[in-house]
């Protein structure tokens, strides 16, 4: 399991983001154990992004709530066992969901106000084996073009820069 954390510093409070490729939450007990681990962090992150959650679209997502956070999810309709995103946003942050889409990858774009500044958070999960790389890049570029403010990109996009293919040139 891989995880990343980032802190975006502004003049006032710092925005903390925790991203983790969880590689499946099919076992609810695993999620409960993960929440216990999260509770040991002295200062909880403002935003938590879990990728590759592998939940079915019929999953009762309210079971995956975390106290103090609002949950936004994007679960893969087809071939659900290979993707999905859960994004938790601290209740103190004002936000709106600008985009929530699942094609061959999942993407959630959130507009939020933090320290009187407008941010766009682009959360993504792209599986490692995917043929349509140009579709992914086009989608990412469109999201950037629609964001008139600061942009934060977070997630697991599985781009192996050491492999050069005709589609990624």
């Amino acid at each position: 399991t891989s995880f990343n954390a980032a802190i975006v510093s502004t003049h006032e409070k710092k925005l903390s983001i925790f991203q983790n490729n969880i590689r499946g939450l099919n076992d609810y007990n695993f999620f409960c154990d993960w929440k216990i681990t999260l509770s040991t962090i002295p200062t909880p992150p403002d935003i938590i992004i879990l990728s590759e959650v592998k939940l079915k679209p019929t999953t009762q997502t309210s079971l995956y709530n975390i106290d103090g956070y609002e949950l936004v999810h994007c679960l893969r309709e087809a071939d659900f066992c290979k993707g999905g995103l859960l994004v938790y946003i601290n209740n103190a942050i004002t936000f709106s969901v600008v985009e929530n889409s699942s094609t061959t990858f999942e993407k959630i774009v959130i507009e939020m106000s933090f320290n009187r500044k407008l941010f766009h958070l682009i959360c993504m999960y792209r599986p490692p084996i995917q043929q349509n790389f140009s579709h992914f890049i086009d989608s990412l570029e469109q999201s950037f073009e629609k964001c008139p403010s600061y942009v934060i990109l977070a997630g697991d996009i599985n781009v192996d820069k050491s492999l050069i293919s005709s589609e990624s040139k």
Side-chain angles (χ1 to χ4, degrees):
T1 302
S2 65
F3 58 90
N4 301 301
I7 297 177
V8 178
S9 179
T10 61
H11 292 95
E12 299 168 6
K13 186 181 181 304
K14 294 179 180 178
L15 177 68
S16 60
I17 301 170
F18 175 85
Q19 189 277 325
N20 189 191
N21 180 320
I22 204 81
R23 296 207 174 117
L25 289 177
N26 323 48
D27 179 356
Y28 182 71
N29 291 326
F30 176 75
F31 176 72
C32 293
D33 290 345
W34 184 86
K35 278 186 10 177
I36 291 169
T37 302
L38 180 67
S39 70
T40 65
I41 298 173
T43 305
D46 296 304
I47 298 170
I48 300 167
I49 304 161
L50 300 180
S51 60
E52 198 175 3
V53 296
K54 299 182 181 181
L55 296 175
K56 296 179 183 180
T58 57
T59 301
Q60 186 180 349
T61 54
S62 63
L63 293 173
Y64 293 87
N65 287 340
I66 298 175
D67 291 339
Y69 292 88
E70 187 164 339
L71 172 61
V72 178
H73 59 84
C74 183
L75 304 177
R76 189 170 301 182
E77 292 291 330
D79 201 14
F80 69 87
C81 65
K82 294 185 180 176
L85 285 171
L86 298 180
V87 180
Y88 297 90
I89 300 145
N90 186 297
N91 288 338
I93 297 174
T94 302
F95 76 94
S96 63
V97 178
V98 175
E99 183 178 351
N100 188 329
S101 62
S102 175
T103 54
T104 55
F105 57 89
E106 287 74 50
K107 178 171 60 170
I108 297 174
V109 181
I110 295 168
E111 181 179 272
M112 63 184 156
S113 177
F114 191 81
N115 287 341
R116 297 181 301 274
K117 290 187 179 180
L118 189 63
F119 286 88
H120 281 84
L121 173 64
I122 303 172
C123 308
M124 301 185 86
Y125 173 70
R126 176 185 175 272
I129 301 171
Q130 187 184 112
Q131 302 303 313
N132 199 346
F133 186 72
S134 60
H135 170 65
F136 167 74
I137 294 297
D138 290 345
S139 177
L140 188 56
E141 285 177 350
Q142 288 171 8
S143 293
F144 278 120
E145 289 170 2
K146 292 178 186 175
C147 299
S149 63
Y150 299 99
V151 176
I152 302 166
L153 175 63
D156 183 359
I157 57 174
N158 287 300
V159 175
D160 186 348
K161 64 183 182 180
S162 68
L163 297 177
I164 299 174
S165 70
S166 61
E167 192 166 357
S168 64
K169 290 182 182 181

